[in-house]
């Protein structure tokens, strides 16, 4: 089995920063893409940022130039540095990873960490 555990959420004032972390553990052979998604109340889950195994990244337009995704392959960990936070960034943030235990890749999800941006 594979587990993804997020950490780093919390309450922050507008304009502030937070850093989310997500570590994958278990019977992992290889991890391909890792990503952060978020779901705000009453809205669908949306992709925030993705990073490939080789380090290529892409971002939602709403977070470009404010958020930075990175990963440490040796630790099976992905990070999301969030700067200049806005109230509309309030959401539950979920970690996602494409993991192979055998030869096939399957998507795995963390349980989420709540980020609240409010004064």
């Amino acid at each position: 089995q594979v587990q993804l555990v997020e950490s780093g959420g919390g309450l922050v004032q507008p304009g502030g920063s937070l850093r989310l972390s997500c570590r994958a553990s278990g019977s992992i052979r290889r991890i391909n893409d890792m990503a952060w998604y978020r779901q705000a109340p009453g809205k669908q889950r949306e992709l925030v940022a993705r990073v490939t195994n080789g380090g290529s990244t892409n971002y939602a337009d709403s977070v470009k130039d404010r958020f930075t995704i990175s990963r440490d392959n040796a630790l099976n960990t992905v990070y999301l540095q969030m700067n200049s936070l806005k109230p509309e960034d309030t959401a539950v943030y979920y970690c996602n990873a494409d993991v192979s235990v055998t030869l096939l890749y399957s998507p795995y999800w963390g349980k989420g960490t709540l980020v609240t941006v409010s004064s």
Side-chain angles (χ1 to χ4, degrees):
Q1 281 290 355
V2 174
Q3 299 84 36
L4 272 62
V5 179
E6 302 102 336
S7 61
L11 173 65
V12 63
Q13 292 187 341
S17 298
L18 280 176
R19 189 190 194 211
L20 306 182
S21 300
C22 171
R23 181 163 188 170
S25 62
S27 302
I28 297 170
R29 187 180 72 88
R30 182 179 169 87
I31 300 177
N32 197 5
D33 292 1
M34 303 185 81
W36 288 95
Y37 287 73
R38 67 185 181 187
Q39 187 166 18
K43 295 188 176 181
Q44 289 187 334
R45 190 173 298 189
E46 63 175 357
L47 175 67
V48 176
R50 180 182 300 278
V51 58
T52 69
N53 184 274
S56 297
T57 59
N58 65 281
Y59 297 89
D61 287 343
S62 59
V63 307
K64 279 180 181 177
D65 300 324
R66 298 189 298 122
F67 291 9
T68 302
I69 190 170
S70 61
R71 64 190 284 174
D72 186 327
N73 290 333
L75 296 178
N76 290 334
T77 299
V78 63
Y79 305 96
L80 186 68
Q81 177 66 43
M82 303 185 294
N83 299 328
S84 302
L85 282 160
K86 304 175 181 180
E88 52 263 43
D89 294 317
T90 295
V92 177
Y93 284 70
Y94 297 91
C95 176
N96 166 266
D98 290 331
V99 181
S100 67
V101 175
T102 57
L103 294 179
L104 298 177
Y105 284 89
S106 298
Y108 289 86
W109 292 89
K111 294 184 178 180
T113 184
L114 177 62
V115 171
T116 303
V117 184
S118 175
S119 55

